[in-house]
Amino acid sequence: MDLSVRIGSLALKNPIIAASGCFGYGVEYADVVDLESLGGIAVKGLFLAEREGHPAPRIVETPAGMLNAIGLQGIGVRRFIHEKLPELRARKAIVIVNICGTTVDEYVELARILSDAEGVAALELNISCPNIKEGGITFGCSLRGTFDVVSAVRKVTGLPILPKLTPNVTDVASFARAAEEAGADAVSLVNTFLAMVIDVETRRPKISNVVGGLSGPAIRPIAVRMVYECRQAVKIPIVGMGGIANARDALEFMIAGAAAVQVGTANFVDPFIWPKLFGGIRDYMQRHQIARIADIVGTVDTRARDNEWISS
Amino acid sequence: MPIDAAAEVIANHPLSTDYNVLALAAPAIAAAAAPGQFVMVKAGAGHDPLLRRPFSVFEVLRDERGAPTGISLLNKRIGVSTDLIYKAQPGERIACLGPLGRPFTVVDSPTEAWMVAGGVGLAPFATLAEALRARGVRSTLFYGARRAQELFHLDFFRGLGVELVLTTEDGSLGERGRVVTPLERRLAAQSAAAPVMIYACGPEGMLAAAATTAARFDRPCQVSVERIMGCGLGGCYSCVVRMRNGHGGLHHVRSCIAGPVLPGNQIVWD
């Protein structure tokens, strides 16, 4: 059984990637999961500089989901390269570095620095974090901004680049197209949905940043629809995510058009989820006699159903 | 390495209409747990509630030969997950990940140990009191609650030779008022030459008061903080505590891996 997939020039041993912001810098999980067994690890979003992020409370649970506004707390790219990357490399992890800037120049600088670092497999461009005031989502909510960031980073790196798209736009597919035209190797989607939870007793928002990003099983059907729409709009591979909690959910994204998937919130609930996901995919392949998992990508059959009862 | 157990509920002892002690069969977690560590517990199956909740290991349960068989949780009903844990039935299985986090540093005699607990903040002190007893450390528990009916397991602590200083907000048992008041009095009376370690767990206001009072008397204080946690393993950055970093700067520290036990004098209290 062949679980390997390709995302442009990036070859992964399987299609399951740990999602950025949900897996620390990877090293936090070295005790609970063999990092090498993952298709890849998208590490926590990095700026050039260290950031302290928002005050607590930073998360609140919602029906089948959670809202977060961490505010991209992080150690900055240089400390990441010195303190985390060597261990990730030693553990043979496929490292996808998620980068975030407040200006195009910062994305370019981050891409330059990381292109020279040993052990970086790809760059995921965070143009979709809903929780910071400057940068990120301001690029991801404008077609021009998306094009500018991606094309500027394209000029300075040979690494595969995956802009991570926000669902907080009218037409995600047009953003996937802008990324493709700018030279992206793939797109990853979706980031979280901007959302809000209020404590009715105190009339206060439940997280300090007032609004935050919704993730978890609650958003999955919307994310699947967006992957499906993007599949029809672009030729480059799609990395799909949004509420995947088991192998069936991962397969759903792949059938909708994702070449690979990322798993985030579910890792909080069950940090031992990874082998279960691989096992579930193998079971499915066996049951359906599928030799290569890549063959199911985008195979959703949307033809009209035969013998459909039609109201008249 | 933390252990993920599908732990069977052995017993559920209601203590009041809000509190219960849930005993879980989890020998590997019980064997590895140190005082102050916690477990991440998933109440109910399915996606709602979605996330696990952190609980201090309350008791390490042992068989007649003293071998660890499981742990118990001291639970207070405040939301959906804690309500499910209040109602859990023997035979049910509850996903339980642990032990996690940095434990208390247990002092040696002649240092005295003063534990300060507010409400459900009693939870980490049962195992700490046992560890202190094993080392022959003279121990006192300052324990406050809203009313007498919410002061639990007093005989357990008495049985370990722990001196009890009780307070209730309604005055129904012990001194009327907050638990930090007798702590402050005792600190004022204690000879500066006699070493004391203060351990605190409870509501944020009580922790802040205990830590700042300890600092005022130049006594070390280990606090066990409670934060909303997403994962318990350092992955989500939800459970941060604002701390001084030693260079005059402030830093958000993940309480799941740097804590839950943290030096009280380095925390910035809101």
Side-chain angles (χ1 to χ4, degrees), chain A residues 24-25 28-29 31 44 52 54 58-59 61 64 70 73 268-269 272, chain B residues 1 4 47 49-53 230 235-238 240 251-252 254:
Chain A
Y25 298 108
E28 290 89 340
Y29 286 88
D31 278 352
K44 186 162 174 56
E52 287 301 333
H54 297 313
R58 291 174 164 188
I59 61 166
E61 189 165 322
I70 307 298
Q73 177 173 351
F268 297 157
V269 182
F272 294 89
Chain B
M1 176 175 164
D4 190 25
H47 293 326
L50 180 66
L51 299 172
R52 294 178 187 239
R53 299 288 188 274
C236 71
Y237 282 73
S238 305
V240 294
H251 184 49
H252 276 134
R254 286 168 283 180

PDB file of all heavy atoms in Angstrom, chain A residues 24-25 28-29 31 44 52 54 58-59 61 64 70 73 268-269 272, chain B residues 1 4 47 49-53 230 235-238 240 251-252 254:
ATOM      1  N   GLY A  24       2.871  22.896  18.580  1.00  0.00           N
ATOM      2  CA  GLY A  24       4.046  23.596  19.073  1.00  0.00           C
ATOM      3  C   GLY A  24       5.098  23.685  17.983  1.00  0.00           C
ATOM      4  O   GLY A  24       4.783  23.945  16.813  1.00  0.00           O
ATOM      5  N   TYR A  25       6.350  23.447  18.380  1.00  0.00           N
ATOM      6  CA  TYR A  25       7.436  23.373  17.398  1.00  0.00           C
ATOM      7  C   TYR A  25       7.764  21.914  17.073  1.00  0.00           C
ATOM      8  O   TYR A  25       8.841  21.610  16.589  1.00  0.00           O
ATOM      9  CB  TYR A  25       8.669  24.107  17.922  1.00  0.00           C
ATOM     10  CG  TYR A  25       8.402  25.582  18.138  1.00  0.00           C
ATOM     11  CD1 TYR A  25       8.297  26.113  19.415  1.00  0.00           C
ATOM     12  CD2 TYR A  25       8.210  26.425  17.046  1.00  0.00           C
ATOM     13  CE1 TYR A  25       8.008  27.459  19.605  1.00  0.00           C
ATOM     14  CE2 TYR A  25       7.923  27.772  17.224  1.00  0.00           C
ATOM     15  CZ  TYR A  25       7.830  28.280  18.504  1.00  0.00           C
ATOM     16  OH  TYR A  25       7.528  29.604  18.675  1.00  0.00           O
ATOM     17  N   GLU A  28       7.779  19.355  21.288  1.00  0.00           N
ATOM     18  CA  GLU A  28       6.940  19.122  22.473  1.00  0.00           C
ATOM     19  C   GLU A  28       6.288  17.741  22.418  1.00  0.00           C
ATOM     20  O   GLU A  28       5.909  17.183  23.446  1.00  0.00           O
ATOM     21  CB  GLU A  28       5.833  20.181  22.580  1.00  0.00           C
ATOM     22  CG  GLU A  28       6.317  21.584  22.925  1.00  0.00           C
ATOM     23  CD  GLU A  28       6.674  22.428  21.712  1.00  0.00           C
ATOM     24  OE1 GLU A  28       6.921  21.847  20.623  1.00  0.00           O
ATOM     25  OE2 GLU A  28       6.723  23.659  21.844  1.00  0.00           O
ATOM     26  N   TYR A  29       6.118  17.215  21.198  1.00  0.00           N
ATOM     27  CA  TYR A  29       5.389  15.954  21.031  1.00  0.00           C
ATOM     28  C   TYR A  29       6.302  14.750  20.782  1.00  0.00           C
ATOM     29  O   TYR A  29       5.822  13.650  20.506  1.00  0.00           O
ATOM     30  CB  TYR A  29       4.356  16.102  19.903  1.00  0.00           C
ATOM     31  CG  TYR A  29       3.180  16.941  20.357  1.00  0.00           C
ATOM     32  CD1 TYR A  29       3.196  18.322  20.238  1.00  0.00           C
ATOM     33  CD2 TYR A  29       2.084  16.354  20.968  1.00  0.00           C
ATOM     34  CE1 TYR A  29       2.143  19.100  20.698  1.00  0.00           C
ATOM     35  CE2 TYR A  29       1.027  17.107  21.432  1.00  0.00           C
ATOM     36  CZ  TYR A  29       1.058  18.486  21.290  1.00  0.00           C
ATOM     37  OH  TYR A  29       0.019  19.235  21.755  1.00  0.00           O
ATOM     38  N   ASP A  31       7.866  12.885  22.673  1.00  0.00           N
ATOM     39  CA  ASP A  31       7.649  11.771  23.603  1.00  0.00           C
ATOM     40  C   ASP A  31       6.406  10.956  23.280  1.00  0.00           C
ATOM     41  O   ASP A  31       6.282   9.811  23.706  1.00  0.00           O
ATOM     42  CB  ASP A  31       7.475  12.295  25.037  1.00  0.00           C
ATOM     43  CG  ASP A  31       8.808  12.566  25.702  1.00  0.00           C
ATOM     44  OD1 ASP A  31       9.844  12.213  25.112  1.00  0.00           O
ATOM     45  OD2 ASP A  31       8.794  13.152  26.804  1.00  0.00           O
ATOM     46  N   LYS A  44       4.619  25.938  14.590  1.00  0.00           N
ATOM     47  CA  LYS A  44       3.900  27.142  15.013  1.00  0.00           C
ATOM     48  C   LYS A  44       4.418  28.367  14.256  1.00  0.00           C
ATOM     49  O   LYS A  44       5.616  28.517  14.037  1.00  0.00           O
ATOM     50  CB  LYS A  44       4.105  27.309  16.517  1.00  0.00           C
ATOM     51  CG  LYS A  44       3.292  28.441  17.101  1.00  0.00           C
ATOM     52  CD  LYS A  44       3.178  28.306  18.592  1.00  0.00           C
ATOM     53  CE  LYS A  44       2.486  29.543  19.169  1.00  0.00           C
ATOM     54  NZ  LYS A  44       1.159  29.769  18.545  1.00  0.00           N
ATOM     55  N   GLU A  52       5.108  37.792  22.377  1.00  0.00           N
ATOM     56  CA  GLU A  52       4.496  37.256  23.597  1.00  0.00           C
ATOM     57  C   GLU A  52       3.032  36.881  23.416  1.00  0.00           C
ATOM     58  O   GLU A  52       2.462  36.190  24.243  1.00  0.00           O
ATOM     59  CB  GLU A  52       4.651  38.244  24.756  1.00  0.00           C
ATOM     60  CG  GLU A  52       6.075  38.314  25.288  1.00  0.00           C
ATOM     61  CD  GLU A  52       6.606  36.966  25.795  1.00  0.00           C
ATOM     62  OE1 GLU A  52       5.802  36.122  26.205  1.00  0.00           O
ATOM     63  OE2 GLU A  52       7.833  36.765  25.754  1.00  0.00           O
ATOM     64  N   HIS A  54      -1.218  37.219  23.006  1.00  0.00           N
ATOM     65  CA  HIS A  54      -2.284  37.857  23.788  1.00  0.00           C
ATOM     66  C   HIS A  54      -2.304  37.352  25.228  1.00  0.00           C
ATOM     67  O   HIS A  54      -1.846  36.251  25.508  1.00  0.00           O
ATOM     68  CB  HIS A  54      -3.640  37.569  23.153  1.00  0.00           C
ATOM     69  CG  HIS A  54      -3.787  38.123  21.775  1.00  0.00           C
ATOM     70  ND1 HIS A  54      -3.432  39.409  21.445  1.00  0.00           N
ATOM     71  CD2 HIS A  54      -4.245  37.555  20.631  1.00  0.00           C
ATOM     72  CE1 HIS A  54      -3.672  39.613  20.164  1.00  0.00           C
ATOM     73  NE2 HIS A  54      -4.153  38.513  19.643  1.00  0.00           N
ATOM     74  N   ARG A  58      -7.069  32.561  26.342  1.00  0.00           N
ATOM     75  CA  ARG A  58      -6.790  32.530  24.906  1.00  0.00           C
ATOM     76  C   ARG A  58      -7.669  31.558  24.135  1.00  0.00           C
ATOM     77  O   ARG A  58      -7.673  31.593  22.903  1.00  0.00           O
ATOM     78  CB  ARG A  58      -5.325  32.122  24.693  1.00  0.00           C
ATOM     79  CG  ARG A  58      -4.321  33.173  25.141  1.00  0.00           C
ATOM     80  CD  ARG A  58      -2.911  32.635  25.022  1.00  0.00           C
ATOM     81  NE  ARG A  58      -1.927  33.712  25.078  1.00  0.00           N
ATOM     82  CZ  ARG A  58      -0.631  33.530  24.848  1.00  0.00           C
ATOM     83  NH1 ARG A  58      -0.180  32.323  24.579  1.00  0.00           N
ATOM     84  NH2 ARG A  58       0.205  34.542  24.897  1.00  0.00           N
ATOM     85  N   ILE A  59      -8.302  30.650  24.838  1.00  0.00           N
ATOM     86  CA  ILE A  59      -9.203  29.723  24.134  1.00  0.00           C
ATOM     87  C   ILE A  59     -10.506  29.589  24.898  1.00  0.00           C
ATOM     88  O   ILE A  59     -10.577  29.847  26.105  1.00  0.00           O
ATOM     89  CB  ILE A  59      -8.610  28.301  23.954  1.00  0.00           C
ATOM     90  CG1 ILE A  59      -8.325  27.633  25.303  1.00  0.00           C
ATOM     91  CG2 ILE A  59      -7.387  28.320  23.078  1.00  0.00           C
ATOM     92  CD1 ILE A  59      -8.065  26.126  25.197  1.00  0.00           C
ATOM     93  N   GLU A  61     -14.003  26.762  24.633  1.00  0.00           N
ATOM     94  CA  GLU A  61     -14.611  25.673  23.890  1.00  0.00           C
ATOM     95  C   GLU A  61     -15.986  26.086  23.377  1.00  0.00           C
ATOM     96  O   GLU A  61     -16.693  26.860  24.017  1.00  0.00           O
ATOM     97  CB  GLU A  61     -14.732  24.445  24.796  1.00  0.00           C
ATOM     98  CG  GLU A  61     -15.145  23.228  24.011  1.00  0.00           C
ATOM     99  CD  GLU A  61     -14.918  21.935  24.771  1.00  0.00           C
ATOM    100  OE1 GLU A  61     -13.921  21.811  25.478  1.00  0.00           O
ATOM    101  OE2 GLU A  61     -15.779  21.049  24.625  1.00  0.00           O
ATOM    102  N   ALA A  64     -18.619  21.330  19.594  1.00  0.00           N
ATOM    103  CA  ALA A  64     -17.764  20.588  18.673  1.00  0.00           C
ATOM    104  C   ALA A  64     -16.630  21.428  18.095  1.00  0.00           C
ATOM    105  O   ALA A  64     -16.192  21.211  16.977  1.00  0.00           O
ATOM    106  CB  ALA A  64     -18.587  19.956  17.545  1.00  0.00           C
ATOM    107  N   ILE A  70      -4.465  33.148  20.277  1.00  0.00           N
ATOM    108  CA  ILE A  70      -3.181  33.045  20.956  1.00  0.00           C
ATOM    109  C   ILE A  70      -2.368  34.316  20.681  1.00  0.00           C
ATOM    110  O   ILE A  70      -1.664  34.824  21.558  1.00  0.00           O
ATOM    111  CB  ILE A  70      -2.402  31.796  20.458  1.00  0.00           C
ATOM    112  CG1 ILE A  70      -3.247  30.534  20.560  1.00  0.00           C
ATOM    113  CG2 ILE A  70      -1.064  31.665  21.196  1.00  0.00           C
ATOM    114  CD1 ILE A  70      -3.697  30.142  21.943  1.00  0.00           C
ATOM    115  N   GLN A  73       2.127  33.951  19.720  1.00  0.00           N
ATOM    116  CA  GLN A  73       3.292  33.901  20.611  1.00  0.00           C
ATOM    117  C   GLN A  73       4.330  32.996  19.962  1.00  0.00           C
ATOM    118  O   GLN A  73       4.005  31.930  19.438  1.00  0.00           O
ATOM    119  CB  GLN A  73       2.913  33.331  21.985  1.00  0.00           C
ATOM    120  CG  GLN A  73       4.128  33.202  22.912  1.00  0.00           C
ATOM    121  CD  GLN A  73       3.757  32.795  24.330  1.00  0.00           C
ATOM    122  OE1 GLN A  73       2.585  32.759  24.678  1.00  0.00           O
ATOM    123  NE2 GLN A  73       4.764  32.511  25.136  1.00  0.00           N
ATOM    124  N   PHE A 268      -5.071  18.014  20.083  1.00  0.00           N
ATOM    125  CA  PHE A 268      -5.239  18.453  21.478  1.00  0.00           C
ATOM    126  C   PHE A 268      -6.059  17.427  22.250  1.00  0.00           C
ATOM    127  O   PHE A 268      -5.767  17.117  23.398  1.00  0.00           O
ATOM    128  CB  PHE A 268      -5.963  19.802  21.544  1.00  0.00           C
ATOM    129  CG  PHE A 268      -5.220  20.941  20.908  1.00  0.00           C
ATOM    130  CD1 PHE A 268      -5.908  22.061  20.460  1.00  0.00           C
ATOM    131  CD2 PHE A 268      -3.841  20.921  20.780  1.00  0.00           C
ATOM    132  CE1 PHE A 268      -5.230  23.127  19.883  1.00  0.00           C
ATOM    133  CE2 PHE A 268      -3.161  21.980  20.211  1.00  0.00           C
ATOM    134  CZ  PHE A 268      -3.861  23.092  19.759  1.00  0.00           C
ATOM    135  N   VAL A 269      -7.102  16.930  21.601  1.00  0.00           N
ATOM    136  CA  VAL A 269      -7.990  15.975  22.259  1.00  0.00           C
ATOM    137  C   VAL A 269      -7.276  14.632  22.445  1.00  0.00           C
ATOM    138  O   VAL A 269      -7.394  13.996  23.476  1.00  0.00           O
ATOM    139  CB  VAL A 269      -9.273  15.777  21.418  1.00  0.00           C
ATOM    140  CG1 VAL A 269     -10.226  14.824  22.131  1.00  0.00           C
ATOM    141  CG2 VAL A 269      -9.941  17.118  21.130  1.00  0.00           C
ATOM    142  N   PHE A 272      -2.324  10.971  20.727  1.00  0.00           N
ATOM    143  CA  PHE A 272      -1.933   9.666  20.175  1.00  0.00           C
ATOM    144  C   PHE A 272      -2.742   9.339  18.912  1.00  0.00           C
ATOM    145  O   PHE A 272      -2.845   8.189  18.506  1.00  0.00           O
ATOM    146  CB  PHE A 272      -2.125   8.564  21.222  1.00  0.00           C
ATOM    147  CG  PHE A 272      -1.206   8.704  22.412  1.00  0.00           C
ATOM    148  CD1 PHE A 272      -1.588   9.449  23.519  1.00  0.00           C
ATOM    149  CD2 PHE A 272       0.052   8.109  22.414  1.00  0.00           C
ATOM    150  CE1 PHE A 272      -0.731   9.592  24.615  1.00  0.00           C
ATOM    151  CE2 PHE A 272       0.907   8.241  23.500  1.00  0.00           C
ATOM    152  CZ  PHE A 272       0.514   8.996  24.604  1.00  0.00           C
TER     153      PHE A 272
ATOM    154  N   MET B   1       7.435   9.975  29.666  1.00  0.00           N
ATOM    155  CA  MET B   1       6.372   9.938  28.652  1.00  0.00           C
ATOM    156  C   MET B   1       5.008   9.777  29.319  1.00  0.00           C
ATOM    157  O   MET B   1       4.816   8.883  30.127  1.00  0.00           O
ATOM    158  CB  MET B   1       6.621   8.763  27.702  1.00  0.00           C
ATOM    159  CG  MET B   1       5.502   8.596  26.691  1.00  0.00           C
ATOM    160  SD  MET B   1       5.864   7.294  25.492  1.00  0.00           S
ATOM    161  CE  MET B   1       4.224   7.050  24.807  1.00  0.00           C
ATOM    162  N   ASP B   4      -1.600   7.361  28.163  1.00  0.00           N
ATOM    163  CA  ASP B   4      -3.006   7.604  27.852  1.00  0.00           C
ATOM    164  C   ASP B   4      -3.788   6.361  28.232  1.00  0.00           C
ATOM    165  O   ASP B   4      -3.636   5.319  27.609  1.00  0.00           O
ATOM    166  CB  ASP B   4      -3.168   7.912  26.359  1.00  0.00           C
ATOM    167  CG  ASP B   4      -4.569   8.419  26.042  1.00  0.00           C
ATOM    168  OD1 ASP B   4      -5.208   8.969  26.958  1.00  0.00           O
ATOM    169  OD2 ASP B   4      -5.018   8.265  24.900  1.00  0.00           O
ATOM    170  N   HIS B  47     -17.831  14.717  20.260  1.00  0.00           N
ATOM    171  CA  HIS B  47     -17.228  16.031  20.045  1.00  0.00           C
ATOM    172  C   HIS B  47     -17.762  17.139  20.954  1.00  0.00           C
ATOM    173  O   HIS B  47     -17.410  18.300  20.775  1.00  0.00           O
ATOM    174  CB  HIS B  47     -17.434  16.467  18.593  1.00  0.00           C
ATOM    175  CG  HIS B  47     -16.685  15.627  17.601  1.00  0.00           C
ATOM    176  ND1 HIS B  47     -15.451  15.073  17.881  1.00  0.00           N
ATOM    177  CD2 HIS B  47     -16.987  15.242  16.338  1.00  0.00           C
ATOM    178  CE1 HIS B  47     -15.039  14.390  16.815  1.00  0.00           C
ATOM    179  NE2 HIS B  47     -15.951  14.467  15.885  1.00  0.00           N
ATOM    180  N   PRO B  49     -18.683  17.672  25.062  1.00  0.00           N
ATOM    181  CA  PRO B  49     -17.534  18.580  24.993  1.00  0.00           C
ATOM    182  C   PRO B  49     -16.376  17.987  24.190  1.00  0.00           C
ATOM    183  O   PRO B  49     -16.226  16.770  24.128  1.00  0.00           O
ATOM    184  CB  PRO B  49     -17.143  18.779  26.463  1.00  0.00           C
ATOM    185  CG  PRO B  49     -17.625  17.541  27.148  1.00  0.00           C
ATOM    186  CD  PRO B  49     -18.870  17.133  26.425  1.00  0.00           C
ATOM    187  N   LEU B  50     -15.582  18.876  23.633  1.00  0.00           N
ATOM    188  CA  LEU B  50     -14.535  18.454  22.707  1.00  0.00           C
ATOM    189  C   LEU B  50     -13.198  18.204  23.399  1.00  0.00           C
ATOM    190  O   LEU B  50     -12.569  17.182  23.185  1.00  0.00           O
ATOM    191  CB  LEU B  50     -14.359  19.535  21.633  1.00  0.00           C
ATOM    192  CG  LEU B  50     -13.290  19.265  20.565  1.00  0.00           C
ATOM    193  CD1 LEU B  50     -13.690  18.080  19.700  1.00  0.00           C
ATOM    194  CD2 LEU B  50     -13.082  20.499  19.694  1.00  0.00           C
ATOM    195  N   LEU B  51     -12.790  19.164  24.197  1.00  0.00           N
ATOM    196  CA  LEU B  51     -11.428  19.149  24.742  1.00  0.00           C
ATOM    197  C   LEU B  51     -11.368  18.422  26.077  1.00  0.00           C
ATOM    198  O   LEU B  51     -12.369  18.296  26.780  1.00  0.00           O
ATOM    199  CB  LEU B  51     -10.916  20.580  24.921  1.00  0.00           C
ATOM    200  CG  LEU B  51     -10.818  21.424  23.646  1.00  0.00           C
ATOM    201  CD1 LEU B  51     -10.481  22.870  23.997  1.00  0.00           C
ATOM    202  CD2 LEU B  51      -9.786  20.859  22.692  1.00  0.00           C
ATOM    203  N   ARG B  52     -10.168  17.979  26.412  1.00  0.00           N
ATOM    204  CA  ARG B  52      -9.928  17.430  27.747  1.00  0.00           C
ATOM    205  C   ARG B  52      -9.861  18.561  28.754  1.00  0.00           C
ATOM    206  O   ARG B  52      -9.706  19.723  28.389  1.00  0.00           O
ATOM    207  CB  ARG B  52      -8.610  16.658  27.760  1.00  0.00           C
ATOM    208  CG  ARG B  52      -8.617  15.421  26.893  1.00  0.00           C
ATOM    209  CD  ARG B  52      -7.266  14.751  26.940  1.00  0.00           C
ATOM    210  NE  ARG B  52      -7.190  13.649  25.996  1.00  0.00           N
ATOM    211  CZ  ARG B  52      -6.933  12.382  26.329  1.00  0.00           C
ATOM    212  NH1 ARG B  52      -6.719  12.059  27.581  1.00  0.00           N
ATOM    213  NH2 ARG B  52      -6.885  11.424  25.414  1.00  0.00           N
ATOM    214  N   ARG B  53      -9.938  18.199  30.027  1.00  0.00           N
ATOM    215  CA  ARG B  53      -9.810  19.177  31.100  1.00  0.00           C
ATOM    216  C   ARG B  53      -8.680  18.745  32.034  1.00  0.00           C
ATOM    217  O   ARG B  53      -8.527  17.556  32.295  1.00  0.00           O
ATOM    218  CB  ARG B  53     -11.107  19.263  31.916  1.00  0.00           C
ATOM    219  CG  ARG B  53     -12.322  19.697  31.136  1.00  0.00           C
ATOM    220  CD  ARG B  53     -12.281  21.174  30.772  1.00  0.00           C
ATOM    221  NE  ARG B  53     -13.544  21.620  30.188  1.00  0.00           N
ATOM    222  CZ  ARG B  53     -13.879  21.526  28.901  1.00  0.00           C
ATOM    223  NH1 ARG B  53     -13.030  20.976  28.051  1.00  0.00           N
ATOM    224  NH2 ARG B  53     -15.040  21.945  28.459  1.00  0.00           N
ATOM    225  N   GLY B 230      -5.705  23.691  26.480  1.00  0.00           N
ATOM    226  CA  GLY B 230      -6.185  23.002  25.286  1.00  0.00           C
ATOM    227  C   GLY B 230      -5.655  21.591  25.195  1.00  0.00           C
ATOM    228  O   GLY B 230      -6.371  20.660  24.839  1.00  0.00           O
ATOM    229  N   GLY B 235       1.483  22.230  23.244  1.00  0.00           N
ATOM    230  CA  GLY B 235       1.233  22.424  21.817  1.00  0.00           C
ATOM    231  C   GLY B 235       0.410  23.637  21.464  1.00  0.00           C
ATOM    232  O   GLY B 235       0.573  24.214  20.395  1.00  0.00           O
ATOM    233  N   CYS B 236      -0.480  24.057  22.347  1.00  0.00           N
ATOM    234  CA  CYS B 236      -1.478  25.052  21.926  1.00  0.00           C
ATOM    235  C   CYS B 236      -1.226  26.457  22.456  1.00  0.00           C
ATOM    236  O   CYS B 236      -1.807  27.407  21.956  1.00  0.00           O
ATOM    237  CB  CYS B 236      -2.876  24.595  22.314  1.00  0.00           C
ATOM    238  SG  CYS B 236      -3.237  24.638  24.079  1.00  0.00           S
ATOM    239  N   TYR B 237      -0.406  26.605  23.451  1.00  0.00           N
ATOM    240  CA  TYR B 237      -0.097  27.940  23.994  1.00  0.00           C
ATOM    241  C   TYR B 237      -1.319  28.654  24.587  1.00  0.00           C
ATOM    242  O   TYR B 237      -1.408  29.875  24.543  1.00  0.00           O
ATOM    243  CB  TYR B 237       0.562  28.828  22.916  1.00  0.00           C
ATOM    244  CG  TYR B 237       2.018  28.527  22.692  1.00  0.00           C
ATOM    245  CD1 TYR B 237       2.408  27.377  22.024  1.00  0.00           C
ATOM    246  CD2 TYR B 237       3.009  29.392  23.148  1.00  0.00           C
ATOM    247  CE1 TYR B 237       3.742  27.085  21.824  1.00  0.00           C
ATOM    248  CE2 TYR B 237       4.357  29.110  22.948  1.00  0.00           C
ATOM    249  CZ  TYR B 237       4.707  27.955  22.278  1.00  0.00           C
ATOM    250  OH  TYR B 237       6.023  27.665  22.080  1.00  0.00           O
ATOM    251  N   SER B 238      -2.258  27.886  25.111  1.00  0.00           N
ATOM    252  CA  SER B 238      -3.467  28.497  25.679  1.00  0.00           C
ATOM    253  C   SER B 238      -3.294  28.886  27.136  1.00  0.00           C
ATOM    254  O   SER B 238      -3.880  29.852  27.595  1.00  0.00           O
ATOM    255  CB  SER B 238      -4.630  27.508  25.614  1.00  0.00           C
ATOM    256  OG  SER B 238      -4.824  27.065  24.315  1.00  0.00           O
ATOM    257  N   VAL B 240      -1.156  30.112  29.246  1.00  0.00           N
ATOM    258  CA  VAL B 240       0.019  30.884  29.663  1.00  0.00           C
ATOM    259  C   VAL B 240      -0.204  31.685  30.945  1.00  0.00           C
ATOM    260  O   VAL B 240      -1.309  32.107  31.265  1.00  0.00           O
ATOM    261  CB  VAL B 240       0.496  31.830  28.551  1.00  0.00           C
ATOM    262  CG1 VAL B 240       1.010  31.037  27.365  1.00  0.00           C
ATOM    263  CG2 VAL B 240      -0.586  32.807  28.151  1.00  0.00           C
ATOM    264  N   HIS B 251       7.232  37.528  30.371  1.00  0.00           N
ATOM    265  CA  HIS B 251       7.206  36.426  29.427  1.00  0.00           C
ATOM    266  C   HIS B 251       5.973  35.587  29.694  1.00  0.00           C
ATOM    267  O   HIS B 251       5.616  35.348  30.841  1.00  0.00           O
ATOM    268  CB  HIS B 251       8.484  35.593  29.616  1.00  0.00           C
ATOM    269  CG  HIS B 251       8.619  34.485  28.633  1.00  0.00           C
ATOM    270  ND1 HIS B 251       8.449  34.664  27.277  1.00  0.00           N
ATOM    271  CD2 HIS B 251       8.917  33.176  28.802  1.00  0.00           C
ATOM    272  CE1 HIS B 251       8.623  33.502  26.659  1.00  0.00           C
ATOM    273  NE2 HIS B 251       8.906  32.582  27.550  1.00  0.00           N
ATOM    274  N   HIS B 252       5.313  35.157  28.618  1.00  0.00           N
ATOM    275  CA  HIS B 252       4.181  34.237  28.775  1.00  0.00           C
ATOM    276  C   HIS B 252       4.712  32.806  28.833  1.00  0.00           C
ATOM    277  O   HIS B 252       5.277  32.306  27.864  1.00  0.00           O
ATOM    278  CB  HIS B 252       3.214  34.380  27.599  1.00  0.00           C
ATOM    279  CG  HIS B 252       2.239  35.500  27.768  1.00  0.00           C
ATOM    280  ND1 HIS B 252       1.952  36.411  26.771  1.00  0.00           N
ATOM    281  CD2 HIS B 252       1.479  35.866  28.830  1.00  0.00           C
ATOM    282  CE1 HIS B 252       1.061  37.280  27.212  1.00  0.00           C
ATOM    283  NE2 HIS B 252       0.750  36.975  28.454  1.00  0.00           N
ATOM    284  N   ARG B 254       4.049  28.714  29.402  1.00  0.00           N
ATOM    285  CA  ARG B 254       2.999  27.697  29.317  1.00  0.00           C
ATOM    286  C   ARG B 254       2.910  26.939  30.650  1.00  0.00           C
ATOM    287  O   ARG B 254       3.850  26.237  31.020  1.00  0.00           O
ATOM    288  CB  ARG B 254       3.315  26.718  28.183  1.00  0.00           C
ATOM    289  CG  ARG B 254       3.089  27.284  26.800  1.00  0.00           C
ATOM    290  CD  ARG B 254       3.681  26.393  25.733  1.00  0.00           C
ATOM    291  NE  ARG B 254       5.123  26.544  25.654  1.00  0.00           N
ATOM    292  CZ  ARG B 254       5.906  25.879  24.793  1.00  0.00           C
ATOM    293  NH1 ARG B 254       5.383  25.007  23.963  1.00  0.00           N
ATOM    294  NH2 ARG B 254       7.205  26.080  24.774  1.00  0.00           N
TER     295      ARG B 254
END
